[in-house]
Each structure stands twice: as structure tokens, then as C-alpha cells.
Amino acid sequence: MQDRESEYQSCVQSSERLAWRLDDVFPSDQRLDFEHDFLPDALVSIDRIACLSPAERRTLNQIRGNSYAHLFGFVEEYIIGMTVSQASGAVSRSGMHLRALLRFAEEEVKHRELFRRYNAAFNRDFKTPVDVIGAADAVAAVILGKSRLGVLIVTMHLELLTQQHYVESVRDNTRADLDPLFSTILKRHWLEEAQHARIDFLEALELAEKATPEELDTAMRDYADILAAFDGLLGQQAEMDLQSLERAVERTFTEAERAEILGSQRPAYRRLFIGMGLTNAGFVSRMGQISADAQRRVNELVPLYV
Ligand SMILES: [Fe+2]
Ligand SMILES: [Fe+2]
């Protein structure tokens, strides 16, 4: 128990040390630089699409950057609800436990604002309108109706992903044509997500220790169901990106070209948000500490998404 208490304290201390101001990272009048790619190809798998010219690949990369910001803002919606609920259940717990959760919630509201600002800047500065999936609040309500442990596990999965995305982005950032602003956003987001993932784990461990085998089974089914639903949304976003690309490059793709683009983008989305989480070493090892069965259930999902 004392170990967990000091872990909450350590999360608060890290959060205080690493905190950043939204206006410093992304002022509301920030302009976007469309002379650069926004995301490294390691994350979006666009460079090998043969039917696109180099300029069209860059345009798709930028559309993917906007969609990326939108999707993270989209999931922040339920994560804010989850964290506020965890914090209100922890009012009578130790000060450090409560502070860790409250800082977590406040940071997620700031992240949602960061991604909204990014999307607003993109919509203002990009040459043509772009489409993104909607109804984040309705999706959040469905997710928050699932078991608390299942939802915490999904959140830990997503938060650990942000580290991988940043590391891959920095690793690829030897390319002079990669937008430094987007890399900074990935870095700043991850710096705070690192504490969130630690807090998710503490909260999940406590719930798992009290859970019956049936409750643990429900949590793992909820985790799998939410991933499957998210995968469906990612498929819709890949289709929308294609429509946005057609508008931006002013050409209608043939069936073969559509098949090539979606054939690359559909699995790229799946890998980026689902496969990379399921196979993240930190996630798999934390799931093993929650229970051997939970870790086995994660491993069973891998062939569906990787
Ligand atoms: Fe976040
Ligand atoms: Fe987070």
C-alpha cells in the first residue's frame, strides 16, 4: 500500500515538473506549415503508395496529421469522463491519490483543447475541407457504460501508445522535411501521458485485486469489444481521409487506386492505434501483473490486429 502511495506521489511530482502551458505549445493563432510532412512515415505508411505523386503523398500525410489530432481529441472525451469519475470516487482517499487523479483530469482537458486548436488551425489553413468522424460524446457515453476495469485497460493501452508514437517520430526526425511542431505536440502529449499510464495501472490493479473471476472476464471482454468498435471507427476515418484527399488534389481515384490507398491506410490505422498497443512490452507486462489470464487474453487478440 505504501508503495502505491509513493507511486501516486511520484506521479504528482513528475506532473508538476513536466507541466506545460497550452499557449506555449500551441497558441490559438498558430499557423501550420504545409511545406512539411506532419507524421513520420513509420506511423502512417504512405511513402509506398505507388499511385500517388510525392506532392499527393505529402497532402495525405498532412490529412493524416489532422485526423491523428482529431482521434486523440475524440478519445480524450471519454478519458475525461473516466478520470473525473475516478477522482470523485477518491475524495476520501489520500491527498496524493486524489491530486494525481485531479491533475490527470485537468491535463486531459488541456490535451483535448490542444487537439481542438490544432484541428481549428488545420481547417483554417488547409486548402480544402477535410472530414473526420463525429459523435465523440455519444461514443464516450457507450464506453463509460462498460466496466470500469475494462475502460481503464483501454486507456492504459492508448496512453502507452503515445510514447511509441513520439519515439518513432523522433527517430524519424532526422528528416529535415518533418514538421517540428507536430513532433513537439507528440512529445508534450506523451510527457503527461507517461504519468497517466502509471495512474491507470495503479487504479486497475486495485480494481483487479477486488474483482471476482466473472468481473475480470467482463473487463477483458469489454476491452476487446471497445477495441473492435474503435477499429470500425478507424476504418471510417481511413475512408474519410481518402475523400478529403480527392478534394485536396482535385482528382477522383479509380477503383484500383482506391484499393491501393485503402489497402495501405486501413492496416496502417489498425497498427497505429490497436496493434502497437496490444504488442507494447510495457502494456503486456502490466497486464501480466493484473492477472496471467488478462495477459493471455491480450495475446489472443494480437492476430486479429497485427
Ligand atoms: Fe491526453
Ligand atoms: Fe492521458
Side-chain angles (χ1 to χ4, degrees), residues 76 107-108 111 115 159 189 193 196:
E76 298 290 14
E107 286 162 1
E108 295 296 28
H111 298 172
F115 294 124
E159 297 190 320
H189 190 222
E193 293 302 318
H196 301 176

Side-chain angles (χ1 to χ4, degrees), residues 76 79 83 104 107-108 111 155 158-159 162 189 192-197 200:
E76 298 290 14
I79 295 174
T83 315
F104 182 164
E107 286 162 1
E108 295 296 28
H111 298 172
T155 310
L158 291 171
E159 297 190 320
T162 62
H189 190 222
E192 294 185 338
E193 293 302 318
Q195 282 73 256
H196 301 176
D200 292 330

